Amino acid sequence: MVNKTLHYWDPAFEDGVININVGGLRRRLSSSALSKFPDTRLGRLLSCDSEESILQLCDDYDVSAREFYFDRNPGFFLYVLHFYQTGKLHVMEELCVFSFCQEIEYWGINEFFLDSCCSYRYHERKLESRHHNWDEESEVSSVDTSPDEISDFNHDLLHYTTLRCGNLRKRLWLTMENPGYSIPSKLFSFVSISVVLVSIATMCIHSMEEYQLVDENGNTMDDPVLEYLEYFCISWFTFEVTARLLLAPDLKKFFKHPLNLIDIVSVLPFYFTFLVDVTMGKEPELGNLGKVVQVFRLMRIFRVLKLARHSTGLRSLGATLKHSYREVGILLLYLAVGVSVFSGVAYTAEKEEDVGFDTIPACWWWGTVSMTTVGYGDVVPVTIAGKLAASGCILGGILVVALPITIIFNKFSHFYRRQKALEAAVRNSDKKDPEDSDNYPSQESEILSEAFQRDDISDHGDLTRRILPIH
């Protein structure tokens, strides 16, 4: 089709008419109409002086017939013709707003040429589409099967293919990591949760005087039954940490994972205090070091965080707080400002009444309790001005807390569904090999293969229009 004898090409156009063929729609345009808009694609054709410059603007051309071919939407070209005739552009309702933007960008027509009857509607639809797309992207990024996490998960599974007894180790690792993977994993999760609850109950009961024994020297001793339960719980926690460490596909990721760090922290205090007791004696003989040992024993309370490994809600809460630090910071800032303002007002109104508002720092406690709507009632204003300040503090606290909480709750919902999607991917991990995760044909590839097997598609333009429907 391309005629390489360019000496027939005359930019002056003796008859002033060129032929434009867009997707089979053939129209004649005068060079005078095109010259009014030299920055458009068709207007730039008048200044072309070589084959390369022509092919940069159109898909094909015939010099002898003075005809240029464009593989674009022929329906939209009618609007382009109207633009060259009137200088005004109208919106094509059949196209979505972003497809319309792509078309006018291709033809080199600026949004400035939109007629007044279409301009407001066009920009309104464009703004609505952007908000809608932002919501969809936000939903997909945090809900839709978590592609990055699933990709990392499949990448971790690939490590087992190079290890000895890799398949067995993979199944054991999945059994310990995901409670919904199989029936054995549910049983393991149930036992682990039971041991955590027993450990917490043992620690709480040990603080009660009825279960505290005293030896001949007056030193406090642990109840033998509670001590044996503690040893059993620590043995189970140690087994969990050791097994996960031996079965982990990547040791670097293992030590970076927050849940694994919680497991390690939950057992370290016991071994530290046990080592101190064996080597240096009991707490009363240690002095200041004994207080450190007591602090380490109190760290056993962190065992309750082990429940996060078996609870989708707790993991979602942790992810929400991690990704909501801006909202949490705004919440704390609002509370700090409100507490400072209302504490100063309450101090001014109540400082002479001797009811606990003696200093501004003392009023901060009252302001914090009131702003968070807790209301202990240990310190209350008695004057009218103080009660008005308290009313404003309570109402302001409701508004201050409610605004960021809504955003945090929405993120929690997203991360909860994201965790559920990731758990579903783990449960389905045995249904296909990780190596084949990228080999599943997409819907578009299936359409392409079927199309090329048939002979009813004449050109790539028809194929593109079948795959990408007009909005």
Side-chain angles (χ1 to χ4, degrees), residues 215-235:
D215 60 7
E216 299 176 354
N217 299 325
N219 297 327
T220 303
M221 298 176 54
D222 295 335
D223 185 274
V225 177
L226 298 179
E227 189 173 7
Y228 292 146
L229 286 176
E230 178 70 10
Y231 290 158
F232 168 75
C233 295
I234 285 296
S235 301

Side-chain angles (χ1 to χ4, degrees), residues 34-52:
L34 299 180
S35 61
K36 296 179 181 178
F37 306 97
D39 295 331
T40 61
R41 180 174 291 266
L42 297 182
R44 295 203 304 261
L45 280 175
L46 302 180
S47 59
C48 292
D49 56 0
S50 64
E51 177 185 351
E52 290 77 9

Side-chain angles (χ1 to χ4, degrees), residues 219 272-297:
N219 297 327
F272 177 79
T273 56
F274 179 78
L275 182 63
V276 171
D277 291 341
V278 170
T279 58
M280 304 182 65
K282 297 296 181 179
E283 293 176 15
E285 304 174 0
L286 297 178
N288 293 331
L289 184 59
K291 298 180 179 179
V292 177
V293 173
Q294 290 181 355
V295 172
F296 270 92
R297 286 193 172 183

Side-chain angles (χ1 to χ4, degrees), residues 223-457:
D223 185 274
V225 177
L226 298 179
E227 189 173 7
Y228 292 146
L229 286 176
E230 178 70 10
Y231 290 158
F232 168 75
C233 295
I234 285 296
S235 301
W236 176 264
F237 296 151
T238 305
F239 162 73
E240 275 192 316
V241 174
T242 306
R244 286 193 170 94
L245 179 62
L246 295 177
L247 297 174
D250 191 337
L251 293 181
K252 291 183 179 180
K253 289 185 178 180
F254 176 85
F255 288 105
K256 291 181 180 179
H257 200 287
L259 295 179
N260 295 329
L261 296 180
I262 291 174
D263 290 343
I264 295 174
V265 171
S266 65
V267 299
L268 282 182
F270 173 83
Y271 289 108
F272 177 79
T273 56
F274 179 78
L275 182 63
V276 171
D277 291 341
V278 170
T279 58
M280 304 182 65
K282 297 296 181 179
E283 293 176 15
E285 304 174 0
L286 297 178
N288 293 331
L289 184 59
K291 298 180 179 179
V292 177
V293 173
Q294 290 181 355
V295 172
F296 270 92
R297 286 193 172 183
L298 290 176
M299 289 179 61
R300 291 181 295 177
I301 196 63
F302 288 112
R303 295 174 186 174
V304 71
L305 299 178
K306 290 174 62 67
L307 296 175
R309 185 180 293 277
H310 311 283
S311 172
T312 304
L314 289 178
R315 291 198 304 273
S316 302
L317 178 61
T320 302
L321 295 178
K322 177 181 177 182
H323 292 84
S324 302
Y325 62 91
R326 291 188 180 89
E327 290 78 8
V328 174
I330 292 174
L331 175 61
L332 296 178
L333 177 62
Y334 289 167
L335 288 175
V337 172
V339 168
S340 301
V341 170
F342 290 106
S343 297
V345 175
Y347 169 75
T348 304
E350 302 288 335
K351 62 180 179 180
E352 299 179 356
E353 301 297 332
D354 193 21
V355 291
F357 294 88
D358 302 327
T359 62
I360 291 181
C363 295
W364 287 346
W365 166 252
W366 168 85
T368 303
V369 171
S370 300
M371 284 286 289
T372 55
T373 67
V374 175
Y376 283 125
D378 53 345
V379 180
V380 294
V382 295
T383 64
I384 296 178
K387 292 180 179 180
L388 291 176
S391 301
C393 184
I394 296 171
L395 295 176
I398 294 175
L399 296 177
V400 164
V401 173
L403 293 176
I405 287 298
T406 305
I407 303 175
I408 296 174
F409 174 76
N410 290 335
K411 286 193 175 183
F412 174 81
S413 300
H414 289 172
F415 281 108
Y416 181 80
R417 284 178 285 177
R418 179 174 181 172
Q419 288 291 337
K420 299 297 287 186
L422 185 59
E423 291 176 2
V426 174
R427 289 194 296 269
N428 298 329
S429 60
D430 283 344
K431 295 182 180 179
K432 63 184 181 71
D433 295 331
E435 298 89 338
D436 300 332
S437 59
D438 297 331
N439 297 331
Y440 289 93
S442 62
Q443 181 180 5
E444 290 81 0
S445 61
E446 293 177 356
I447 296 175
L448 283 170
S449 61
E450 293 177 1
F452 281 113
Q453 290 174 1
R454 300 192 305 265
D455 297 329
D456 57 345
I457 295 179

Side-chain angles (χ1 to χ4, degrees), residues 2-7 9-11 44-58 61 63 68:
V2 176
N3 191 339
K4 296 185 178 181
T5 57
L6 295 178
H7 58 273
W9 171 257
D10 183 10
R44 295 203 304 261
L45 280 175
L46 302 180
S47 59
C48 292
D49 56 0
S50 64
E51 177 185 351
E52 290 77 9
S53 60
I54 295 174
L55 291 177
Q56 288 178 357
L57 299 175
C58 64
Y61 74 99
V63 174
F68 301 88

